[in-house]
Amino acid sequence: MKHHLASVILMLSMGALLGVSAEETSNEAVVPDQVLRLWPGDAPSLVVPTRSTESVDERGMVRNVSVPEMWVYLPKKSSSNRPAMMICPGGGFAGLGMTPHVRNVVKLFNDQGIVVIGLKYRTAYGGNDYVKDSLADCERAIRLIRFHAAEWEIDPKRICAQGYSAGGTVCMNLLGNFDNGNSTATDPVEQLSSRPDSVALMCPWPNKKTSNDYPILKNPPPVLIASAEDDKTAPTAFAREIGEALIKQGGKVEWFIVPT
């Protein structure tokens, strides 16, 4: 990750961390340019929610995701080889904060020429394996971004995966499971790599696990880690352990640690 991109990520992402409202970032309705299903049919190992159907509450929290999607927001100005930011929103795997973590920062990123992709990944809704499901959705999304890179004027080697809290958990799982694609797959999307070119972990959440439960593959992409030292839900000590594991595997880490 180039220093400039890391700085842009920090500057623009703080709006979401500090709860900046959509009205404060833009007076216009934030509507995706495209909404793309991740899978051609049902998602792998789909367990249909039994408690209730997929819904969105007044805060923009999406629950009971059964149709994983990518919400694509393109900058107004056309430009070739621009970077893409895939945002995995948080919500403790009980829901997805698509408004605070995605919609609220779209204009800020787009104004910098960055394509924003909000990932609506599967969360916990009873009998599903949400860790496996969210990882599968995240890997598929990275492949799809590369598949549509020319259409969206994206440099396929400048794809950042950003995760807030539980979304950071998804990104940590990605760092331990990305691959180069399956060259023999009949689906051309599955032939592409799921390795992000950089990762931003915003308050990475351990999800009742230790750092040892998040093994990192060798030669991971560069990672930016942001954490607040008084955060008891996503402790800085855990974030530092993840950073140390990344460095041991040959990765580069940039830190943004604040007291409160």
Side-chain angles (χ1 to χ4, degrees):
M1 181 190 306
K2 293 183 179 179
H3 179 74
H4 171 68
L5 181 56
S7 300
V8 169
I9 291 169
L10 275 175
M11 176 181 69
L12 303 183
S13 300
M14 291 311 293
L17 287 174
L18 297 173
V20 176
S21 69
E23 289 76 16
E24 289 174 296
T25 58
S26 174
N27 292 322
E28 303 173 3
V30 183
V31 178
D33 294 281
Q34 292 186 34
V35 175
L36 189 67
R37 289 179 64 136
L38 296 185
W39 307 97
D42 287 341
S45 306
L46 176 68
V47 176
V48 178
T50 55
R51 293 185 300 204
S52 61
T53 58
E54 188 171 311
S55 63
V56 183
D57 66 18
E58 66 280 358
R59 297 180 300 149
M61 183 72 72
V62 181
R63 302 185 187 278
N64 300 309
V65 175
S66 58
V67 181
E69 296 174 334
M70 295 189 340
W71 296 0
V72 183
Y73 302 87
L74 302 173
K76 292 181 179 179
K77 184 182 293 185
S78 179
S79 175
S80 61
N81 296 324
R82 52 195 177 189
M85 173 70 69
M86 183 188 74
I87 302 176
C88 302
F93 289 110
L96 300 176
M98 297 298 285
T99 290
H101 295 156
V102 180
R103 291 189 183 99
N104 284 4
V105 296
V106 164
K107 185 178 186 300
L108 297 173
F109 276 114
N110 278 178
D111 284 353
Q112 294 287 326
I114 300 170
V115 175
V116 176
I117 292 128
L119 180 59
K120 195 182 79 171
Y121 59 87
R122 281 171 287 174
T123 54
Y125 42 72
N128 71 313
D129 184 342
Y130 65 86
V131 173
K132 181 180 178 181
D133 290 347
S134 59
L135 173 61
D137 293 344
C138 187
E139 287 198 271
R140 177 73 177 183
I142 295 287
R143 300 188 213 277
L144 274 169
I145 295 170
R146 290 202 163 96
F147 186 76
H148 289 275
E151 175 189 349
W152 297 338
E153 299 180 312
I154 290 171
D155 183 343
K157 296 182 179 180
R158 297 178 71 194
I159 299 171
C160 180
Q162 180 190 42
Y164 289 92
S165 192
T169 305
V170 177
C171 289
M172 287 187 292
N173 287 327
L174 177 65
L175 286 167
N177 290 276
F178 61 80
D179 60 53
N180 292 324
N182 179 1
S183 60
T184 63
T186 56
D187 181 352
V189 174
E190 291 299 312
Q191 296 177 15
L192 302 175
S193 170
S194 64
R195 182 186 187 274
D197 300 295
S198 58
V199 173
L201 302 177
M202 313 301 290
C203 305
W205 179 52
N207 192 21
K208 300 180 181 179
K209 297 180 180 180
T210 70
S211 58
N212 292 330
D213 295 311
Y214 297 96
I216 307 296
L217 293 178
K218 286 188 178 297
N219 299 316
V223 177
L224 170 71
I225 301 178
S227 179
E229 292 176 329
D230 67 342
D231 188 341
K232 294 181 174 58
T233 303
T236 297
F238 173 79
R240 290 192 183 281
E241 289 172 0
I242 293 296
E244 290 168 4
L246 284 158
I247 293 169
K248 286 180 180 178
Q249 290 294 74
K252 296 180 179 180
V253 176
E254 290 190 37
W255 299 95
F256 182 75
I257 308 295
V258 293
T260 60

